[in-house]
Amino acid sequence: MQDQSVRSRRAVLRAAGGLAGAVLVQGCTTNAIVPIAQNAPVVPPPQRLAAAPVPAAPVRQMRAPATVNPRLFERAQAALSRHAGRIQRTDRIAIADFAVDSAHPRFQFIDMHSGVVSAMRVAHGSGSDPAHCGRLERFSNVPDSNATSEGAFITDNYYVGKHGRSQRLLGLDPTNDNALMRAIVVHGAWYANPEMIAQHGKLGRSQGCFAVAEGDLARVFSLLGEGRMIYAAKV
């Protein structure tokens, strides 16, 4: 059987112009024969200049405010230091504490100078809570998973999309670096409004985005701004 396969491949190559003029390339679904140009000039790859290193601003270390999970806050401060070269504004951070269920204010905005905390509710992705129990069960960075991703994000620019005014996010860790491609953003949603708690005891689910109550969106945007960190985790 192996000799027959080899003879078949050689016959295909001869039909395409000989072994010297073709190679067999395996794609996702089929094999294709691609001719190789003879004596083709070698074009060197473009040279990329290394960007000048950005000095990381010192990050002020502080104790966790009383209403913030201290272990989660410690991890958020470590992420803030680790990504200091990319995070332009470190005066305030946001922590999404996904160990808390969606009925409670778990999106915490922390002033890193005064320690003052503002907290709101935020939805998690349906892929993170398939049974819709109101608690995040797992994270994912996989496209089309509809799940929430874990790690540090940096807030980017605003735009108007299907959910109205929204804010893009860039994932800074291997656990969330598909955020921009997945369109993981901050936006307002009816299923994150307070009446959902009265009716169902929990918020609805997003497709992985940080969805907040429509009435909270303006305040969330004013607290986040551009160039600040959101840290999402469950400890």
Side-chain angles (χ1 to χ4, degrees):
M1 294 297 291
Q2 183 175 357
D3 292 341
Q4 183 178 355
S5 175
V6 171
R7 287 196 298 271
S8 298
R9 287 176 178 269
R10 288 176 176 172
V12 171
L13 290 173
R14 284 197 298 272
L19 291 171
V23 292
L24 196 64
V25 178
Q26 185 171 1
C28 294
T29 57
T30 185
N31 289 335
I33 296 173
V34 180
I36 299 177
Q38 301 298 318
N39 302 321
V42 177
V43 179
Q47 299 297 313
R48 298 183 64 182
L49 298 177
V54 179
V59 176
R60 179 177 178 270
Q61 297 294 306
M62 60 180 287
R63 295 183 63 181
T67 56
V68 178
N69 182 317
R71 288 191 298 153
L72 184 56
F73 186 71
E74 183 178 341
R75 286 176 56 176
Q77 286 198 109
L80 193 63
S81 296
R82 185 167 65 250
H83 299 297
R86 297 188 62 184
I87 299 171
Q88 293 84 28
R89 305 169 76 178
T90 59
D91 59 326
R92 190 182 304 122
I93 66 172
I95 292 178
D97 185 353
F98 285 118
V100 179
D101 66 68
S102 66
H104 296 88
R106 56 183 180 174
F107 204 12
Q108 302 168 320
F109 302 84
I110 304 163
D111 188 304
M112 297 298 285
H113 297 291
S114 67
V116 172
V117 179
S118 301
M120 287 159 243
R121 295 184 181 91
V122 64
H124 53 251
S126 60
S128 291
D129 178 13
H132 199 185
C133 65
R135 284 186 173 272
L136 182 144
E137 300 294 334
R138 59 177 178 260
F139 293 104
S140 178
N141 191 33
V142 177
D144 300 321
S145 66
N146 291 336
T148 298
S149 293
E150 182 179 21
F153 301 80
I154 184 171
T155 57
D156 200 35
N157 61 334
Y158 300 95
Y159 70 100
V160 177
K162 67 178 181 179
H163 295 290
R165 194 166 182 232
S166 307
Q167 184 172 27
R168 293 184 175 91
L169 300 175
L170 306 177
L172 302 179
D173 292 317
T175 53
N176 66 359
D177 57 5
N178 287 329
L180 186 63
M181 177 183 68
R182 294 179 61 207
I184 302 302
V185 303
V186 179
H187 66 76
W190 62 268
Y191 56 79
N193 287 342
E195 53 265 30
M196 296 297 292
I197 306 300
Q199 294 173 10
H200 306 286
K202 58 195 171 189
L203 299 184
R205 299 166 299 170
S206 70
Q207 292 180 308
C209 294
F210 295 83
V212 300
E214 294 168 309
D216 288 338
L217 186 64
R219 186 171 175 226
V220 168
F221 282 165
S222 69
L223 289 169
L224 284 176
E226 296 183 26
R228 289 191 174 96
M229 184 188 78
I230 297 174
Y231 188 76
K234 177 181 179 180
V235 297

